[in-house]
Amino acid sequence: MKATISIPVGVAYGENEALPANPEASDIRVAIANLVHSFPGGVAALAKRSGVSANTLQHKANLNNDTHHLRVDELQLLQRATGDIGPTHVLAAAEGYVCIRVNPVTPTSLLDGHARVISALADMTQAVRDATESGLPVTRSQNNRVEFHQGELIGAINALGAMVRARMPGNQGKPQ
């Protein structure tokens, strides 16, 4: 098995250094506008649900307005209200990262942790096979299923590492 390492543009070693093969991220302002304007019921419904002024939200999500900007805490509030973290995906992609929800369960033993990792890998492999085996384009639902199982696998791996780290003398589970 070979590892691949991508170095972000800001810390690349030299001008001739190959840059990471990350897709071009879309504009954060477009992602925010999509988040706000695609909410069922529109801007007014989202404003009411998130406790923000509809007029202010309209201005902050307007791509033609350069004077009103969404603060980070407001973006977080809107993402929680909608359940859509599209703007966070755009921000992460711009720096060469991805966002995946993880829900780790603490293993009780090495064998339990290993079994959880293998089970999560099997579930993700099955989801990928189901999505791609037909040769047809992958649907949003199939992609969501694959991403869910990616998160479960990453969570299982991280939980297994945390269990090992927690058993280090004098470490009390703190990361190195």
Side-chain angles (χ1 to χ4, degrees):
M1 176 183 270
K2 294 183 179 181
T4 302
I5 300 173
S6 292
I7 301 172
V9 176
V11 294
Y13 294 120
E15 63 182 56
N16 295 329
E17 186 76 28
L19 297 177
N22 294 322
E24 193 67 30
S26 58
D27 188 334
I28 184 63
R29 294 180 65 212
V30 172
I32 290 169
N34 289 340
L35 173 81
V36 171
H37 295 294
S38 67
F39 189 73
V43 175
L46 179 55
K48 183 177 181 179
R49 182 171 188 172
S50 59
V52 176
S53 160
N55 189 38
T56 301
L57 186 56
Q58 179 71 39
H59 287 298
K60 289 183 176 187
N62 183 347
L63 293 174
N64 298 316
N65 188 336
D66 290 329
T67 59
H68 293 73
H69 303 284
L70 203 60
R71 296 188 326 255
V72 174
D73 60 320
E74 292 172 325
L75 175 59
Q76 187 176 22
L77 181 68
L78 294 176
Q79 289 183 144
R80 282 187 182 150
T82 62
D84 178 0
I85 65 162
T88 297
H89 281 282
V90 170
L91 290 171
E95 303 303 324
Y97 293 90
V98 295
C99 299
I100 297 174
R101 177 184 290 272
V102 295
N103 302 306
V105 176
T106 305
T108 57
S109 66
L110 174 62
L111 184 59
D112 177 50
H114 183 63
R116 289 177 189 275
V117 169
I118 296 302
S119 177
L121 177 61
D123 290 345
M124 190 188 86
T125 303
Q126 181 68 43
V128 169
R129 192 196 82 176
D130 292 347
T132 61
E133 191 171 41
S134 69
L136 297 173
V138 175
T139 66
R140 165 76 69 193
S141 176
Q142 290 169 322
N143 184 65
N144 289 346
R145 181 173 171 228
V146 170
E147 287 182 355
F148 169 79
H149 288 297
Q150 278 179 294
E152 294 296 305
L153 176 58
I154 292 168
I157 291 168
N158 288 342
L160 184 58
M163 182 197 76
V164 171
R165 208 171 25 257
R167 293 184 181 191
M168 291 175 61
N171 192 22
Q172 301 303 314
K174 297 175 187 166
Q176 296 279 334

